[in-house]
Amino acid sequence: MTYDPPRPAGRLLLTPEDREAPARTLRLRRLGLGEQQEPALDAFAGRLAEVTGAPYAMVNFLDEERQFFAGLHTPRGGPPARGGKPEVGRRLPRDYGYCPHVVVRRKALVLEDVGDYPRFAGNPMVDEYGVRSYLGAPLIDTTGMVLGTVCVADLAPRPWGKAGLETIKATAADLVARIERREADGLPLL
């Protein structure tokens, strides 16, 4: 005799509540961020991918309803994703991925193998896109507002280590300084 445990009717989404989302949305609009692709942020994401050796790198801004990758780097010349999975685009629902957790936690998140963390293993990014590892840090400006994240991801487990954590945090701090210089002096991001 075998026993098959009951299966849940739907996916349990564990995306944290983001009470700062309305204020962040207004701040991002004032900064002119989070609504369109920015070539300078694409270049920034490309450099982040190069430094970390990750195939995917993003500069992600979150508002009340969605995530928007104003900076995006994906592998060139290869298949869109493993096993016919969809290509990563610029917009994602708020309950996809790990950046919403970084924003609410207000600190970096290192997932060397998302399968090792039940809270994160059931995320749609695993099933739909094949993401197996993630490294992200919040973009916290001098007002204390978390604007979004910088992050990298891979389709295979990856030992990011202390060096990876230090790199992602330094990259986030650098980008926040650039955003604030642009706001204060009208200088370009890069």
Side-chain angles (χ1 to χ4, degrees):
M1 178 189 276
T2 62
Y3 172 73
D4 291 326
R7 295 177 187 232
R11 179 183 301 273
L12 175 63
L13 296 177
L14 300 172
T15 304
E17 182 181 358
D18 183 359
R19 293 187 178 144
E20 286 187 351
R24 177 181 317 104
T25 300
L26 293 174
R27 176 96 170 103
L28 289 171
R29 283 190 187 135
R30 283 194 301 271
L31 291 169
L33 296 170
E35 295 186 8
Q36 63 187 6
Q37 170 186 350
E38 298 238 1
L41 293 177
D42 282 342
F44 192 89
R47 285 192 300 280
L48 179 58
E50 187 176 315
V51 167
T52 61
Y56 297 92
M58 289 76 67
V59 176
N60 188 9
F61 297 111
L62 292 82
D63 65 22
E64 295 175 89
E65 299 176 15
R66 64 174 169 80
Q67 303 176 65
F68 182 75
F69 300 127
L72 177 63
H73 172 85
T74 61
R76 297 177 199 262
R82 186 184 303 167
K85 298 203 184 276
E87 186 172 327
V88 175
R90 297 255 175 204
R91 289 175 176 76
L92 282 178
R94 284 190 55 85
D95 58 349
Y96 276 49
Y98 312 104
C99 292
H101 296 271
V102 171
V103 166
V104 171
R105 290 167 30 119
R106 304 176 65 83
K107 62 183 187 177
L109 178 62
V110 179
L111 299 172
E112 294 182 343
D113 185 345
V114 296
D116 291 342
Y117 302 90
R119 177 178 188 174
F120 299 117
N123 193 283
M125 291 305 290
V126 176
D127 295 338
E128 294 181 30
Y129 293 93
V131 170
R132 289 294 306 274
S133 60
Y134 171 90
L135 176 65
L139 297 168
I140 303 175
D141 70 10
T142 54
T143 72
M145 174 73 59
V146 180
L147 302 174
T149 66
V150 291
C151 62
V152 293
D154 202 334
L155 302 180
R158 194 177 175 107
W160 300 110
K162 185 176 179 182
L165 179 61
E166 290 173 1
T167 297
I168 202 74
K169 290 165 92 176
T171 302
D174 177 50
L175 183 55
V176 166
R178 291 169 188 264
I179 290 169
E180 290 185 326
R181 273 197 309 271
R182 180 173 93 167
E183 179 184 31
D185 302 328
L187 298 173
L189 278 174
L190 303 175

